[in-house]
Amino acid sequence: MTERTPLLHYRLSASINESGEHHSESGQEALDQPPSAVRRRSAHSQPQKLSTFFGVVIPTLLSMFSVVVFLRIGFVVGQCGLYQAVAMFLVAYLIISMTVLSVCAISTNGALDAGGAYYMISRALGPEFGGSIGIMFFFANVCGSALYVLGLVEAILATFGISEGTLYAVLPVSYWWSLLYATAILLVCLLVCLVGAWIYAKASFLIFLVVMVVLGTIFISFFAVKPQTVTLPGHLTNSSPTTANFTGFKAETFFQNLGADYTVDYTTGKMMSFATVFAVMFNGCTGIMAGSNISGDLKNPSYAIPRGTITAVIFTFIIYNLLSLLVACTCDRLLLQRDYSFLRDINLWHPFVTIGVYSSTLSAAMSNLIGASRILYALARDDLFGKVLSPAKKTSASGNPWVSVLISWFLVQLVLFSGKLNTIASIVTIFFLLVYAAVDLACLALEWASAPNFRPTFRYFTWHTCVLGIVGCGVMMFLINPIYASASIVFMLLLLLIIHYLSPTSSWGYISQALIFHQVRKYLLMLDVRKDHVKFWRPQVLLMVANPRANIGLITFINDIKKSGLYVLGHVQIGDLGLLPSDPLQCQYDSWLSLVDHLNIKAFVNLTLADSVRHGVRHLLFISGLGGMRPNTLVLGFYDDLPPQDQLQDHSGEAWVGKALGPQEYVSIIADAVKMLKNVALARYFGQFDRKHALQSPVFVDVWPVNLLRPDSSSYVDTCSLFLLQLACILNMTRSWQKAKLRLFLCVEVGRSLKGAEQKLRLLLKELRMKADIYMVPWDEQVALHWQRQHVGMYANSFPSNAVRLSDDYLHAVNRLILNQPRPPPAVRFLYLPRPPADTRRYHNYLCQLELLSRDLGPTLLIHGVTPVITTDL
């Protein structure tokens, strides 16, 4: 820990200087003073931090005791009996112990700052979850403080109020008088919290001493006070008994108090049950975060929070069970059921218990007020709500967030105006339980993510304890009040969505990313490429993008055609890493990812540095993807002389830089992809493709499944033709393109049976479960042009699908044939792309043929498929 001290001191000094509330002396003045003077001055300037005992143990003890130890122990034993009372405490403490283990784990996994539970949850689950839980925790503390203040007022008026049955009738009783008393008590709490956490710790220590003395007198009273008859405060009917007995230690009394005996609660008139008694008792166990809330005021939060919280939990558990045992052994069942303040009646000195009630309630009110201010300060410092909470960042010279204290005090004062808070009491408890469940969830997520940096020094927890804590808190929420529990969850989700859309991106790290990584890695290992089957084939696309701003239309179109498959945007930058000082691509990733977010597409980005575009594309084809998720289709923009145009902004006046590759290298890339058994698609005229305009009714997609560069072959059932049909069908299955109609064009010669060819094609489409309008296109004139100009120049190679030497007249004629088909023009055309010739000297001629064939056709995909993608089997 000594290594962290200079860093913490530096952060503290920096925050003080930035706030403008403390200015250090000049460097020269500091040098002129002796080191001892500098040390004394720095010691005085630092806020006083709290130890484990004063900062965690005492606040947690007092919050967990509150008034339950004095006013509800008899109620629990009287209704449930000793057996069920002990079982209730075991279950309740099991639930909160699971949360305590999670708190200990998270708090010992690194430096803990102000905010307590909010800080833990936000740094583990992200700002959305942490912010929503933080707001709810803040309001829970605000309302809790008001509850305890009003409870203290009611306790004071029960003793000193001018009404029937009070011992010392000196205080006026009315709504406004009660509000005045509550305001005065809250003002005392405010003054203590404004001075700082150290004065709060001293005040809490004094209250702790008082409570311990009172508890001591209660334990002594069980042994020292003689059996007596106690007058009951009220009765349900005229025939009900008015007295009950304190019997002292008697076996008969003990055995009578073992079993349950649920009756009507004389204060509310409602019939009690296990669930209702458990809910009341559990209220006394929800103070485990009192020490964590002031984590920023602790000397060593990672050390103090686990040790202090566990100590307080164990101590209160022992006290509760000892009191339950002593009460069961000495008090008549009627006394326990009809007089909740019986501990005062049997005490050595009656005012002791009253003092204990006052003290513990005042301490709980202060604890909630200072806890609310620290949570608000942490929320403001994280800027989750912009400038709304910016004033709450201000602190005093000692580091006390006085503005947050004032805001919290003001809200508590507003709550006091509502008077009785029986309804809000249940909501407050549910809010606390929701926070505890969130802490368990945060710890569970960190454990399941298996992040190497999650290695808390506290190891007495597992994911099982986290799950038990979440389930326990959830059950208790709905046991207390299912309607309020459901409403609080809805409120939390609403806050989560608001923060998600309005808050800036944080640099804390998102546990969701670690969990996704963990699961994706596991499932990728399970994705066995040896089990691939054509039935489950889907396109996994690598789209090569030279200038992303000029290819927006193509990027969005390929996003439609991927059918939930892998989609990678690839880019090659020419360069030699050996000659560069650093990798130039690292700084470009954020811009590419911003483009992906802007276009709202589901794509990965893969950039590479190579000495040529061809080598770069090879790299990407080899290394893109993982396991069974690898690109099976390469998409390239068409090689032409059209200058790229920026589709994000109007930069038409900018000069066009020349291409980074020539026609020979371009066709070589296509040939490389085919050799690697990758399907290839060349996209032309997508530079001006407007998806919204293209999808305006009516929408047509034209498919030409015949190799138009091989007029001597009119087959439409080869692998490439079926691949065209599959891609067109996939596009038509996309939600945006479902209204598009597929038009299938089959080129035939008049001498052949047109009807037979059409019937065969319809039967094929039926077997493939595809819907398309079939058009038979006679092309005798075009084929005649081909044979008239045909020379001996067949390409001598071993690839049967290579094109013969074609005349420009034939290509122009075929191009006009495509253009002259039925109107309106399609949104996109799919054409058959023959594989490149084996003779590399013919690459340029091959590219010229493709250019003439697809000239002025509008958005067109020339597609070559190399793998089977269609099956008629189930």
Side-chain angles (χ1 to χ4, degrees):
M1 301 308 299
T2 53
E3 296 178 356
R4 295 184 182 177
T5 304
L7 175 60
L8 293 174
H9 176 68
Y10 167 76
R11 289 176 59 189
L12 176 64
S13 302
S15 64
I16 292 174
N17 289 332
E18 289 171 2
S19 66
E21 295 171 1
H22 178 78
H23 299 279
S24 62
E25 300 177 6
S26 65
Q28 185 60 41
E29 290 174 342
L31 291 173
D32 291 341
Q33 296 183 12
S36 59
V38 175
R39 282 196 298 270
R40 283 195 301 271
R41 189 181 69 252
S42 62
H44 284 296
S45 63
Q46 291 190 38
Q48 299 186 36
K49 297 289 185 177
L50 305 178
S51 63
T52 303
F53 183 72
F54 286 97
V56 182
V57 175
I58 290 178
T60 307
L61 275 174
L62 293 177
S63 295
M64 295 186 71
F65 276 151
S66 62
V67 296
V68 173
V69 71
F70 300 112
L71 299 181
R72 288 295 179 264
I73 284 293
F75 165 77
V76 174
V77 177
Q79 297 286 345
C80 302
L82 182 62
Y83 287 152
Q84 289 191 15
V86 173
M88 281 185 181
F89 282 118
L90 286 173
V91 172
Y93 272 81
L94 176 66
I95 293 173
I96 64 170
S97 296
M98 299 302 101
T99 301
V100 167
L101 295 179
S102 300
V103 170
C104 295
I106 297 176
S107 62
T108 59
N109 189 51
L112 194 63
D113 212 333
Y118 158 71
Y119 188 86
M120 299 178 195
I121 297 169
S122 61
R123 268 48 179 186
L125 299 182
E128 297 93 347
F129 210 100
S132 57
I133 289 292
I135 286 292
M136 298 180 72
F137 200 24
F138 167 70
F139 284 122
N141 278 274
V142 166
C143 295
S145 181
L147 278 169
Y148 286 120
V149 170
L150 288 174
L152 180 54
V153 170
E154 290 183 2
I156 293 173
L157 292 179
T159 306
F160 299 101
I162 302 176
S163 62
E164 183 181 355
T166 55
L167 296 176
Y168 309 100
V170 294
L171 296 177
V173 177
S174 71
Y175 168 79
W176 292 108
W177 280 109
S178 297
L179 181 61
L180 178 62
Y181 304 147
T183 302
I185 294 170
L186 182 60
L187 189 60
V188 173
C189 298
L190 171 65
L191 293 175
V192 171
C193 295
L194 278 178
V195 175
W198 62 275
I199 194 68
Y200 159 75
K202 289 184 177 180
S204 296
F205 178 64
L206 293 177
I207 294 174
F208 171 74
L209 292 178
V210 172
V211 172
M212 289 299 105
V213 170
V214 173
L215 276 176
T217 63
I218 289 175
F219 279 107
I220 294 171
S221 298
F222 283 113
F223 297 92
V225 174
K226 295 179 180 180
Q228 57 181 293
T229 300
V230 179
T231 302
L232 299 178
H235 47 79
L236 296 176
T237 64
N238 294 329
S239 60
S240 299
T242 58
T243 61
N245 297 317
F246 172 71
T247 65
F249 287 94
K250 279 190 177 181
E252 181 182 356
T253 304
F254 175 71
F255 287 115
Q256 285 179 352
N257 288 327
L258 287 179
D261 182 19
Y262 294 104
T263 61
V264 175
D265 179 11
Y266 75 92
T267 61
T268 62
K270 295 181 179 179
M271 186 66 187
M272 292 293 100
S273 64
F274 182 89
T276 55
V277 176
F278 190 41
V280 172
M281 184 274 299
F282 194 80
N283 272 317
C285 304
T286 56
I288 57 174
M289 291 291 186
S292 304
N293 287 345
I294 56 173
S295 55
D297 298 298
L298 301 175
K299 288 180 181 177
N300 188 345
S302 298
Y303 177 88
I305 289 176
R307 287 164 177 80
T309 306
I310 291 175
T311 301
V313 168
I314 293 174
F315 183 79
T316 56
F317 178 73
I318 294 173
I319 294 297
Y320 278 139
N321 282 278
L322 279 178
L323 279 176
S324 299
L325 178 61
L326 293 174
V327 164
C329 291
T330 60
C331 297
D332 191 352
R333 176 64 69 98
L334 187 62
L335 177 63
L336 300 179
Q337 292 176 342
R338 299 283 300 282
D339 187 2
Y340 298 156
S341 59
F342 74 97
L343 289 177
R344 179 187 62 193
D345 300 327
I346 66 171
N347 199 273
L348 290 171
W349 187 49
H350 292 182
F352 262 139
V353 174
T354 302
I355 294 172
V357 172
Y358 293 172
S359 301
S360 60
T361 309
L362 179 64
S363 170
M366 284 195 300
S367 175
N368 279 268
L369 180 60
I370 198 169
S373 66
R374 272 30 181 195
I375 296 167
L376 181 63
Y377 171 66
L379 285 166
R381 204 171 57 172
D382 287 338
D383 287 325
L384 293 185
F385 298 91
K387 296 181 179 180
V388 176
L389 296 180
S390 57
K393 298 180 186 178
K394 294 183 179 180
T395 60
S396 64
S398 62
N400 185 35
W402 60 274
V403 177
S404 294
V405 173
L406 288 176
I407 294 174
S408 303
W409 164 80
F410 177 73
L411 292 177
V412 174
Q413 184 65 57
L414 289 180
V415 177
L416 291 178
F417 279 98
S418 64
K420 303 295 182 182
L421 293 176
N422 293 333
T423 300
I424 299 179
S426 299
I427 298 177
V428 169
T429 304
I430 288 172
F431 274 17
F432 277 120
L433 286 171
L434 195 59
V435 172
Y436 299 163
V439 172
D440 289 318
L441 179 62
C443 188
L444 177 67
L446 290 169
E447 178 70 8
W448 275 355
S450 301
N453 282 320
F454 182 62
R455 43 179 185 270
T457 55
F458 182 88
R459 296 300 307 168
Y460 301 103
F461 78 99
T462 65
W463 68 268
H464 305 86
T465 62
C466 300
V467 171
L468 280 175
I470 295 171
V471 173
C473 292
V475 170
M476 275 308 306
M477 286 170 56
F478 285 92
L479 190 64
I480 293 170
N481 194 309
I483 296 177
Y484 293 160
S486 303
S488 64
I489 293 173
V490 171
F491 180 54
M492 181 199 70
L493 295 176
L494 182 63
L495 285 173
L496 190 147
L497 291 174
I498 292 173
I499 297 173
H500 176 73
Y501 287 107
L502 297 183
S503 67
T505 303
S506 72
S507 58
W508 308 334
Y510 292 81
I511 190 65
S512 58
Q513 297 299 305
L515 289 171
I516 291 170
F517 177 88
H518 185 267
Q519 293 301 109
V520 167
R521 181 194 65 85
K522 181 171 70 176
Y523 288 120
L524 275 175
L525 291 173
M526 296 170 62
L527 191 60
D528 193 344
V529 294
R530 295 168 295 183
K531 297 179 181 179
D532 283 348
H533 194 277
V534 66
K535 287 189 297 186
F536 308 111
W537 181 91
R538 67 182 71 237
Q540 304 196 84
V541 182
L542 170 63
L543 171 62
M544 297 305 304
V545 181
N547 181 2
R549 303 182 70 91
N551 288 277
I552 302 302
L554 179 58
I555 293 172
T556 55
F557 177 76
I558 298 300
N559 184 67
D560 287 337
I561 212 172
K562 69 180 188 303
K563 188 54 179 175
S564 303
L566 179 68
Y567 184 20
V568 181
L569 299 181
H571 175 72
V572 178
Q573 183 167 325
I574 306 300
D576 186 354
L577 188 60
L579 302 177
L580 298 172
S582 62
D583 183 3
L585 300 177
Q586 294 302 318
C587 60
Q588 299 180 21
Y589 273 100
D590 285 347
S591 299
W592 280 85
L593 293 175
S594 297
L595 176 68
V596 169
D597 294 338
H598 173 73
L599 298 178
N600 193 27
I601 61 174
K602 297 177 181 179
F604 298 95
V605 174
N606 214 341
L607 313 180
T608 188
L609 189 70
D611 57 355
S612 68
V613 176
R614 181 183 182 184
H615 289 164
V617 176
R618 274 188 194 169
H619 295 167
L620 294 178
L621 286 173
F622 276 126
I623 67 173
S624 292
L626 284 173
M629 291 190 67
R630 292 184 178 277
N632 55 31
T633 303
L634 173 68
V635 179
L636 302 171
F638 195 79
Y639 191 95
D640 53 30
D641 295 327
L642 293 177
Q645 296 185 8
D646 195 326
Q647 293 176 277
L648 295 179
Q649 296 180 4
D650 184 12
H651 292 291
S652 56
E654 292 184 358
W656 174 41
V657 180
K659 294 181 180 295
L661 76 167
Q664 188 78 10
E665 185 179 5
Y666 178 81
V667 180
S668 298
I669 293 173
I670 302 173
D672 290 343
V674 173
K675 291 177 184 177
M676 298 168 69
L677 298 180
K678 307 293 183 185
N679 309 301
V680 180
L682 307 183
R684 190 172 192 188
Y685 296 118
F686 279 89
Q688 297 299 321
F689 180 76
D690 185 348
R691 186 168 176 268
K692 290 183 179 180
H693 177 73
L695 292 176
Q696 293 178 357
S697 299
V699 183
F700 297 97
V701 176
D702 287 0
V703 183
W704 295 76
V706 177
N707 184 357
L708 299 175
L709 297 189
R710 286 287 301 271
D712 56 331
S713 173
S714 59
S715 173
Y716 53 85
V717 291
D718 63 356
T719 300
C720 186
S721 298
L722 294 178
F723 186 77
L724 257 75
L725 294 174
Q726 179 76 319
L727 283 190
C729 183
I730 289 174
L731 181 65
N732 195 211
M733 293 169 66
T734 307
R735 180 179 301 177
S736 303
W737 293 82
Q738 282 181 348
K739 293 183 179 180
K741 292 185 177 181
L742 296 185
R743 299 190 300 194
L744 190 58
F745 295 91
L746 186 60
C747 296
V748 294
E749 297 181 44
V750 176
R752 301 184 179 182
S753 173
L754 299 181
K755 200 171 220 181
E758 183 176 355
Q759 287 179 347
K760 289 182 180 179
L761 186 55
R762 289 192 185 280
L763 181 61
L764 176 64
L765 293 178
K766 183 178 179 180
E767 291 179 350
L768 299 178
R769 304 165 306 284
M770 295 181 181
K771 293 182 179 180
D773 296 331
I774 299 176
Y775 294 84
M776 310 304 292
V777 181
W779 69 330
D780 298 76
E781 297 180 5
Q782 290 76 17
V783 172
L785 283 174
H786 162 67
W787 291 116
Q788 289 173 7
R789 301 296 183 93
Q790 182 64 36
H791 299 289
V792 186
M794 298 288 291
Y795 291 163
N797 55 71
S798 59
F799 293 96
S801 62
N802 286 340
V804 295
R805 187 185 300 274
L806 301 171
S807 67
D808 290 351
D809 293 339
Y810 166 76
L811 293 170
H812 282 298
V814 173
N815 176 259
R816 287 194 301 272
L817 176 70
I818 298 173
L819 282 173
N820 292 334
Q821 290 314 304
R823 298 289 175 176
V828 63
R829 287 184 173 91
F830 286 26
L831 301 185
Y832 188 116
L833 173 69
R835 68 188 304 163
D839 187 353
T840 57
R841 293 172 297 177
R842 302 291 185 182
Y843 279 1
H844 188 274
N845 188 45
Y846 168 79
L847 191 57
C848 290
Q849 292 176 358
L850 297 179
E851 194 280 328
L852 290 175
L853 177 67
S854 60
R855 182 177 292 178
D856 299 326
L857 293 184
T860 303
L861 277 182
L862 294 104
I863 301 170
H864 183 80
V866 296
T867 55
V869 296
I870 289 181
T871 179
T872 58
D873 298 331
L874 282 176

